[in-house]
Amino acid sequence: MAIEVGDTAPDFELRDNHGRTIRLSDLRGDGRDSDADADAVNVVLVFYPFAFTSVCTDEMRALRDGLPALTADDTVLLAVSNDSVHTLRVFADQEGLEFPLLSDFWPHGEVSRAYGVFDEEKGCAVRGTFIMDKEGVVRWKIVNGLPDARDLRQYVQALDAL
């Protein structure tokens, strides 16, 4: 089932390219604790098929180069693939990627499936992007097929609308 605009984003817990655990719910506010809500951030969640492939590498480079336009004090970028943590570490180091690359390797594709962007036939995520507000509600999304790169300018426009 695909996640739609207006839905609460499914929570997840994944390890990043440095082995740190990232939990989506840790980035949310819930309106009950003003101190915790002050730490809440908007999230740009980018699913991509595999590290080191041409379109994925180009997209990650565009995100790297456009990071200042995407992230501010109240926004974080998280990129998710079905690669192992070790592969993501080498990929991030090679490409100079400073944002977290999250591994949806095992159980294979569990988070990608929860967001409705896992291609069962290919065994990887398609190109899905979800922008969530500080409460974890999806405010914008785009899902492209494997060969179709996304446009960074669309992310910036969607964030400006929050």
Side-chain angles (χ1 to χ4, degrees), residues 15-20 48 51-52 81-95 101-106:
R15 289 189 319 148
D16 74 1
N17 49 301
H18 295 287
R20 298 175 296 216
Y48 63 103
F52 298 108
S81 80
N82 303 117
D83 295 298
S84 72
V85 168
H86 309 292
T87 299
L88 295 177
R89 177 66 186 254
V90 174
F91 182 54
D93 288 349
Q94 179 177 307
E95 295 300 328
L101 302 182
L102 305 180
S103 174
D104 191 17
F105 183 72
W106 197 257

Side-chain angles (χ1 to χ4, degrees), residues 95-139:
E95 295 300 328
L97 305 174
E98 308 252 334
F99 50 89
L101 302 182
L102 305 180
S103 174
D104 191 17
F105 183 72
W106 197 257
H108 188 71
E110 181 177 64
V111 175
S112 304
R113 282 183 183 90
Y115 279 79
V117 296
F118 190 78
D119 183 322
E120 295 290 341
E121 192 174 299
K122 303 285 187 197
C124 64
V126 295
R127 298 180 195 287
T129 302
F130 300 84
I131 295 180
M132 283 85 75
D133 65 17
K134 294 177 182 180
E135 287 74 41
V137 176
V138 176
R139 297 297 176 192

Side-chain angles (χ1 to χ4, degrees), residues 3-39:
I3 300 304
E4 299 298 335
V5 172
D7 291 346
T8 298
D11 195 17
F12 61 79
E13 183 176 301
L14 294 173
R15 289 189 319 148
D16 74 1
N17 49 301
H18 295 287
R20 298 175 296 216
T21 298
I22 305 290
R23 190 173 299 106
L24 184 62
S25 57
D26 289 346
L27 304 173
R28 293 181 182 164
D30 62 11
R32 293 181 292 193
D33 180 350
S34 60
D35 289 336
D37 287 352
D39 295 331

Side-chain angles (χ1 to χ4, degrees), residues 44 59 63 69-70 127 129 131 139-144 148-161:
V44 178
E59 281 193 316
L63 290 170
L70 285 176
R127 298 180 195 287
T129 302
I131 295 180
R139 297 297 176 192
W140 184 86
K141 80 170 213 178
I142 187 167
V143 178
N144 290 356
D148 301 323
R150 293 158 285 192
D151 185 345
L152 181 69
R153 293 173 297 193
Q154 292 178 311
Y155 302 177
V156 174
Q157 292 170 348
L159 285 167
D160 287 345

